[in-house]
Amino acid sequence: RALDLIRRGECVPRGTIQAEFEHLPYDELRRLGLDMSIETKMREAFPASQGMLAVRTVLPQGPADGSLRSGDIVVSIDKQPVIDFVGFEARADSAIGADLRVGVWRGDKAYETCVRVQDMDAITPHRYIEVGGGVVNSLSYQVARSYGIPAAGVYVASSGHVLSSAGAWRGTVIQTVGSTPTPDLDSFARAFAVLSEGSRVPVRFFTLEQPHRQKVAIMSVDTHWHALRMATRDMHTGSWIYGDLPPPTPARAIEPQTAAVGRLPPSLAPGDAVWPSVVLVDFHCPYLVDGMKDTQFSGPGFVIDKSRGLVVCDRDTVPIGLGDVHVTIAGSVVVVARVRLLHPVYNFAVVQYNPRQIGDTQVQDLRFHPEYLSGERRLAQGDAVYIVAVSGDQSPVVRHTRVASRSMVSTRECLPPRFRCMNVEGIKLNDHPACQGGVLCDDAGLVTGLWTSVASQDSSHKDTTTMTGFDVCLLSQTVTALCGSDHCPDVRSLDAELWTIRLAAARALGLSPARIRQIEDACGENPRLFYVLGILSTETQASKLLHTGDIILEKNGHLATDINDLGAIHDDKLVRLVVLRDGQETALDVPTTPLPSLETTRVIHWSGALVQLPYRAVQEQVRSMPSSVYVSCTLYGSPANCYGLRPGMWITEVEGRSVATVDQFVAMLEHMRLDRSFDSQEQSASNIQTARYVRLTVVNKALVSRVISLRVDNHYWPPWELIHDAATPCGWKSIQHI
């Protein structure tokens, strides 16, 4: 029947009463109470039959709810006996919108009930909404049947950027947005249209696994990263036709909010001197670029300039520059901020909010100990310190302890490549509390160090975090530049990972006795040097002059015994180094490499692949750069994901043409956009098998190249790019290429 309808070009009707049936043998039906007289009649009418239909489950609020029960044995439909699925479905499909008179045997009695037949297509999703990078659709009958819940509501098929901010992950059903109930897609779209961009609204939902347990969470309405549109399925072609939805209203003018900053009791001194500077920083990234595997990060921050709204935090809290930043002040006021600086070497970042947003809230600048900020003094082993930190529930933690040791911070290369802290000394404490981070200070509340979370990976490439302290002198250049003249500091690098080497090992490598005595006299108790453990980039001048194994003896005429003089270099475009190489001291004039305050400033999307310039963590893991077109992520279900374009690959050629730079790659995309034969949506049904594919030459980090083919689909995966723009509220602007 269905095949005949399809051949005639007609739709196949499918009726349902939202009940699940099962075919049971007669012996089991007798145990359910089937009368022998009915069995006899059925066996006579259907000699080949071995059983009948019984109701297995009935969906709540469905047409059969209240009329049929689990265990009912179906005897007849409209006075006609029915014993199998074919007969039942044939009658249901022909009675859509009408009532069926269903005769059942329940227990030891016969019953007849009327059930309205529903159109199956009406409870099968034929529309969906793309919102904030996620997808929602009407809860389908198939999903509802699997969990025994009503086939109604807005189902989260993919959470994306916006819904994930409220923890509404895949498999949840949205009940309200703000104060607006959302029983269907249309009400959901209307609820979003009345929201304000950048606002924070409550969302009520439940998960399919626990439909009885409702949850309420706060959702950040940050839809500027993604399109807001509804797709409707064309029943004849099978394609989904998009239509734009009304976006949330533009962000309203800033309305200052004032909150009281809590004071800590005397028992938590000197935390009371630090706590007015403590804030909470939340960071959500809309796309997994720069080696990200997670999208949500949170941790403490500390106000360093309240007049400019500058907050410092660790890079485990704000790992990249592409994302939305929210700062919670005094535990009450939530303001929007943006990333101002990601230190390319040390483990801290600076975000900035508009200070007008917090009204008269009495936040205070973090007070640094001047001698420690300048580097005249540093925390040493055995020094007594107070740690003022933020616990997992955002409450203060204050503890008096001592410095256990100072040592180089060790991190591994990550997979996928991402920022890692290196070339810096870390501080370990004898006894530190479980916390998200904090500061180290003296008994007067003057800050002498930062207590931060350092992200890395273990040998199995599983993410790890370690709490480590750092000298506040590492912040000195940043505080001076941002707080003094409102510009980012000039940070440069030798493009080498450094590690300590003891004098005994240096002596074995040819270090002269005279030089050893000079180092011992200068260093005192802990004489040591630093050697080149690895080269971080093969493309810069510095990397071509320094070799792995070089022991750095001097920098600009001074002994190089302090890692802070070598890890991050400020303002010096050229440094004169004396290194020990192959047993001989060699003088080198090394040009330093400038490092940007925000490494990634451009991201291109094409066919589900996110393309960007190879960032610093990528450069350290390859012998040479195949091109500047690096694939950092592929979106699930996209052509890039399905046809073998993987994260960590470089694109070197498109259709046999070299694309060495991102600009050349974008120009090639524009060429293909004008050539409609590359777009699979332009192919008719008759020539779909001959539709053109795009040939890509890709190279992995082992520098092994291969050619793959990919069919472009600009209908579902249109090309666009994100470019950093300080003039926009979020710091980024989107450019659509179609």
Side-chain angles (χ1 to χ4, degrees):
R1 184 181 65 90
L3 182 59
D4 290 339
L5 290 171
I6 293 174
R7 284 172 175 170
R8 295 197 299 266
E10 300 177 12
C11 294
V12 179
R14 297 184 302 163
T16 180
I17 60 173
Q18 294 192 27
E20 184 178 356
F21 298 88
E22 57 184 340
H23 193 273
L24 298 178
Y26 283 116
D27 62 336
E28 189 168 345
L29 293 173
R30 286 194 294 270
R31 294 197 296 269
L32 291 177
L34 181 65
D35 189 86
M36 283 298 298
S37 62
I38 297 177
E39 179 181 345
T40 301
K41 292 179 181 179
M42 289 299 181
R43 285 184 180 275
E44 292 175 352
F46 304 96
S49 173
Q50 298 298 319
M52 298 171 61
L53 296 181
V55 178
R56 184 173 183 177
T57 58
V58 178
L59 259 66
Q61 301 178 21
D65 188 22
S67 299
L68 298 180
R69 297 180 186 177
S70 178
D72 286 353
I73 302 171
V74 179
V75 176
S76 64
I77 301 291
D78 291 337
K79 303 296 185 178
Q80 297 297 319
V82 173
I83 62 163
D84 56 18
F85 293 108
V86 175
F88 184 90
E89 295 296 338
R91 294 183 179 276
D93 292 345
S94 61
I96 295 176
D99 290 338
L100 285 181
R101 301 185 67 180
V102 183
V104 299
W105 186 269
R106 182 183 301 162
D108 56 357
K109 294 183 180 180
Y111 294 88
E112 188 174 77
T113 182
C114 289
V115 181
R116 177 61 56 91
V117 179
Q118 188 176 17
D119 188 354
M120 176 72 80
D121 290 335
I123 53 176
T124 299
H126 63 280
R127 298 185 301 168
Y128 65 84
I129 293 177
E130 292 184 357
V131 52
V135 175
V136 297
N137 57 259
S138 299
L139 181 65
S140 69
Y141 166 70
Q142 289 79 7
V143 173
R145 181 184 61 82
S146 299
Y147 292 91
I149 60 176
V154 177
Y155 172 74
V156 179
S158 175
S159 57
H161 179 60
V162 171
L163 293 175
S164 66
S165 66
W169 305 106
R170 173 182 171 86
T172 60
V173 177
I174 306 296
Q175 296 177 291
T176 63
V177 174
S179 58
T180 305
T182 56
D184 51 44
L185 279 185
D186 293 325
S187 58
F188 182 87
R190 290 192 296 269
F192 252 85
V194 301
L195 301 178
S196 176
E197 179 68 24
S199 62
R200 290 162 53 84
V201 298
V203 178
R204 184 182 297 274
F205 58 90
F206 64 85
T207 64
L208 293 178
E209 289 79 9
Q210 294 182 314
H212 60 284
R213 189 182 297 273
Q214 293 185 350
K215 298 181 180 180
V216 178
I218 302 299
M219 179 181 70
S220 298
V221 186
D222 297 313
T223 62
H224 49 269
W225 301 104
H226 307 87
L228 180 60
R229 56 185 185 173
M230 178 182 287
T232 304
R233 187 172 185 267
D234 187 321
M235 295 302 179
H236 298 286
T237 65
S239 298
W240 295 79
I241 309 304
Y242 285 107
D244 291 335
L245 293 177
T249 59
R252 291 173 288 190
I254 297 175
E255 298 180 2
Q257 303 179 64
T258 300
V261 178
R263 298 294 177 179
L264 302 187
S267 60
L268 294 181
D272 55 341
V274 175
W275 201 248
S277 305
V278 178
V279 299
L280 178 66
V281 179
D282 289 297
F283 181 80
H284 296 170
C285 52
Y287 300 104
L288 297 178
V289 298
D290 288 351
M292 292 293 98
K293 296 199 296 184
D294 296 316
T295 59
Q296 298 185 13
F297 304 86
S298 178
F302 307 93
V303 178
I304 57 175
D305 189 339
K306 63 181 181 181
S307 64
R308 288 188 169 91
L310 297 175
V311 175
V312 64
C313 61
D314 60 46
R315 286 203 59 174
D316 195 29
T317 300
V318 179
I320 63 175
L322 180 67
D324 292 311
V325 185
H326 294 90
V327 178
T328 304
I329 298 175
S332 174
V333 178
V334 179
V335 297
V336 176
R338 61 179 177 179
V339 181
R340 187 64 190 276
L341 175 142
L342 298 171
H343 200 282
V345 179
Y346 302 142
N347 188 47
F348 70 85
V350 177
V351 301
Q352 186 173 26
Y353 64 88
N354 188 338
R356 290 186 299 167
Q357 296 180 85
I358 65 172
D360 297 327
T361 304
Q362 297 300 309
V363 298
Q364 296 180 9
D365 293 345
L366 197 65
R367 295 188 304 148
F368 296 103
H369 195 297
E371 294 180 358
Y372 286 85
L373 183 63
S374 65
E376 296 177 20
R377 295 177 60 188
R378 296 181 189 175
L379 292 174
Q381 186 176 16
D383 283 354
V385 295
Y386 286 90
I387 177 172
V388 180
V390 180
S391 67
D393 62 356
Q394 319 309 325
S395 60
V397 178
V398 180
R399 183 170 297 180
H400 186 239
T401 184
R402 291 185 179 273
V403 175
S405 64
R406 293 180 63 100
S407 60
M408 293 287 290
V409 173
S410 174
T411 54
R412 290 177 177 267
E413 292 182 356
C414 298
L415 185 68
R418 70 166 188 249
F419 166 81
R420 62 189 184 100
C421 181
M422 66 179 77
N423 295 344
V424 63
E425 273 190 331
I427 300 169
K428 295 298 182 182
L429 302 178
N430 283 333
D431 178 31
H432 63 83
C435 63
Q436 298 185 65
V439 297
L440 307 178
C441 64
D442 61 12
D443 54 6
L446 298 178
V447 176
T448 57
L450 297 178
W451 188 248
T452 68
S453 175
V454 177
S456 185
Q457 290 183 347
D458 59 18
S459 57
S460 301
H461 295 294
K462 294 182 179 179
D463 291 344
T464 63
T465 56
T466 306
M467 300 306 299
T468 305
F470 294 97
D471 294 313
V472 292
C473 63
L474 303 179
L475 290 173
S476 177
Q477 295 286 341
T478 300
V479 171
T480 301
L482 286 176
C483 300
S485 54
D486 199 30
H487 72 271
C488 295
D490 180 22
V491 181
R492 295 175 170 270
S493 172
L494 296 174
D495 283 328
E497 182 178 5
L498 306 177
W499 198 253
T500 57
I501 184 171
R502 295 301 174 185
L503 294 186
R507 187 191 297 271
L509 293 174
L511 189 63
S512 66
R515 180 68 81 174
I516 290 176
R517 285 194 298 272
Q518 181 187 14
I519 296 170
E520 290 174 339
D521 292 340
C523 295
E525 299 178 355
N526 189 24
R528 61 178 180 174
L529 294 170
F530 299 93
Y531 77 101
V532 178
L533 181 63
I535 301 299
L536 300 180
S537 174
T538 60
E539 306 294 321
T540 62
Q541 292 178 294
S543 65
K544 293 177 172 60
L545 292 174
L546 290 173
H547 297 171
T548 300
D550 285 352
I551 301 176
I552 301 178
L553 303 177
E554 293 183 5
K555 173 197 167 188
N556 292 337
H558 301 282
L559 284 177
T561 58
D562 187 353
I563 188 60
N564 291 353
D565 294 333
L566 300 173
I569 298 172
H570 295 90
D571 302 322
D572 289 336
K573 297 182 179 180
L574 185 74
V575 295
R576 186 171 183 82
L577 301 180
V578 176
V579 303
L580 181 68
R581 179 184 299 169
D582 299 329
Q584 301 294 325
E585 292 190 8
T586 304
L588 302 172
D589 290 324
V590 181
T592 56
T593 303
L595 302 179
S597 57
L598 290 176
E599 190 167 25
T600 296
T601 57
R602 187 181 187 187
V603 176
I604 296 101
H605 168 269
W606 175 68
S607 294
L610 299 181
V611 176
Q612 63 179 108
L613 287 171
Y615 46 98
R616 188 170 174 81
V618 172
Q619 297 173 20
E620 71 168 305
Q621 297 191 20
V622 293
R623 299 192 304 271
S624 62
M625 299 297 297
S627 75
S628 294
V629 185
Y630 178 74
V631 180
S632 61
C633 177
T634 56
L635 304 181
Y636 181 75
S638 67
N641 178 258
C642 296
Y643 286 98
L645 188 60
R646 297 288 180 260
M649 288 181 172
W650 284 260
I651 299 175
T652 58
E653 292 181 357
V654 178
E655 286 293 302
R657 300 181 185 180
S658 174
V659 286
T661 66
V662 171
D663 288 333
Q664 292 176 353
F665 180 72
V666 172
M668 191 62 190
L669 297 187
E670 180 65 16
H671 169 72
M672 290 191 295
R673 185 183 71 85
L674 299 176
D675 186 354
R676 305 304 295 179
S677 64
F678 284 102
D679 192 345
S680 63
Q681 291 298 312
E682 295 294 321
Q683 307 301 324
S684 64
S686 61
N687 66 352
I688 192 68
Q689 297 299 327
T690 61
R692 292 188 63 183
Y693 283 73
V694 177
R695 289 180 293 109
L696 302 176
T697 301
V698 296
V699 179
N700 62 18
K701 72 175 185 178
L703 303 185
V704 177
S705 65
R706 66 188 184 99
V707 176
I708 63 174
S709 59
L710 181 150
R711 178 180 288 177
V712 178
D713 189 343
N714 287 335
H715 179 69
Y716 297 107
W717 307 93
W720 47 259
E721 60 181 307
L722 292 170
I723 299 177
H724 184 259
D725 185 359
T728 60
C730 66
W732 294 79
K733 68 177 181 180
S734 175
I735 299 176
Q736 301 291 328
H737 288 284
I738 288 185

